[in-house]
Amino acid sequence: MEHIIFKYFPNLNEQKRAAFLKMMELYPEWNEKINVISRKDIGNLETNHILHSLAIAKFIEFKPGTRVLDFGTGGGFPGIPLAVMFPDVHFHLVDRTGKKLKVASEIARECGLANVSFQHGDVAECKENFDFVVSRAVMPQQDLLKICSKNISDEQRNGLPNGLITLKGGELEAEIRPLRKRSLVQEISKYFSEPFFETKKILYTQK
């Protein structure tokens, strides 16, 4: 059976393919011990979690040397799939739930990812600078931006100006109104045709 990830990313090298296959094996195993994905949803791991995370890789090609903060990563989404896709980019994964972060760190280790670091706690405790902050619908965009804009560097290295990239679902009109002039909404259905993505969006806001 051809995996959906490989349908949309046909040119992955062997190392990346192996890492994604390992990830698809490890998450269900870990989920039996520590619940990082809803038990009802673990069967949709590849589409609803890994591929969903990789929508960001369709939206932006991070340049080597880029630094990305994954805010509220939970079990490692979107940070770990993106770290496989961009081995020359550093991903710093932050979450308040230690058990979930443990799963993420073990999966990163077993997938051989050397470009990932972890921080247990609140993002307010993070003093480092990054080019982008990514997140999976942790909170409204404006609230998220208030908390993490201090971590977004002014020094540019990518084609897209530094900012916040979030994975969202549903209607965003009211949420982005205060940020409209510096935001961009991209329908994920532009990249992936599965029904899950019909209402899913990427919301990018420049710092």
Side-chain angles (χ1 to χ4, degrees):
M1 182 193 86
E2 176 70 343
H3 284 280
I4 295 168
I5 291 170
F6 305 150
K7 177 176 92 171
Y8 289 111
F9 297 92
N11 301 320
L12 296 176
N13 62 30
E14 279 310 307
Q15 195 174 1
K16 291 179 183 180
R17 288 174 76 94
F20 283 123
L21 290 171
K22 187 78 176 162
M23 202 183 296
M24 286 185 252
E25 182 188 305
L26 290 170
Y27 270 108
E29 289 175 7
W30 271 106
N31 216 53
E32 289 292 316
K33 305 173 218 169
I34 297 170
N35 196 218
V36 293
I37 293 168
S38 154
R39 293 253 151 69
K40 292 179 192 162
D41 205 29
I42 191 68
N44 302 313
L45 169 70
E46 185 178 4
T47 302
N48 296 12
H49 300 276
I50 300 174
L51 189 62
H52 189 203
S53 299
L54 294 175
I56 292 172
K58 291 286 191 184
F59 179 72
I60 177 172
E61 179 84 24
F62 293 121
K63 297 271 177 67
T66 297
R67 289 172 52 77
V68 179
L69 170 67
D70 180 357
F71 181 176
T73 188
F77 301 106
I80 288 179
L82 291 172
V84 173
M85 197 61 77
F86 299 106
D88 299 324
V89 172
H90 183 79
F91 292 86
H92 186 60
L93 278 55
V94 178
D95 201 272
R96 288 176 175 175
T97 308
K99 285 193 296 187
K100 289 183 177 181
L101 216 54
K102 174 181 165 48
V103 174
S105 62
E106 285 298 319
I107 287 173
R109 184 182 62 77
E110 292 196 56
C111 290
L113 300 178
N115 58 329
V116 184
S117 55
F118 299 89
Q119 181 180 329
H120 176 214
D122 198 290
V123 80
E125 298 157 17
C126 181
K127 307 299 183 208
E128 297 172 57
N129 271 3
F130 301 88
D131 301 283
F132 291 94
V133 175
V134 297
S135 189
R136 260 183 120 192
V138 170
M139 61 179 71
Q141 195 87 342
Q142 194 171 20
D143 298 345
L144 194 49
L145 203 59
K146 277 178 191 163
I147 294 167
C148 66
S149 62
K150 66 175 176 54
N151 299 103
I152 301 174
S153 172
D154 293 324
E155 189 183 327
Q156 306 291 332
R157 72 177 93 222
N158 288 271
L160 191 70
N162 293 356
L164 174 62
I165 303 170
T166 53
L167 293 166
K168 297 274 185 177
E171 184 46 63
L172 299 178
E173 187 63 33
E175 183 174 337
I176 67 164
R177 197 170 292 130
L179 304 167
R180 184 185 304 285
K181 288 183 178 165
R182 51 191 175 121
S183 293
L184 173 68
V185 179
Q186 180 64 67
E187 305 278 346
I188 295 179
S189 57
K190 176 187 173 186
Y191 309 128
F192 308 139
S193 61
E194 283 66 28
F196 174 75
F197 299 110
E198 283 170 11
T199 60
K200 303 295 181 194
K201 300 173 179 75
I202 288 171
L203 176 53
Y204 158 73
T205 303
Q206 186 177 338
K207 181 188 173 182

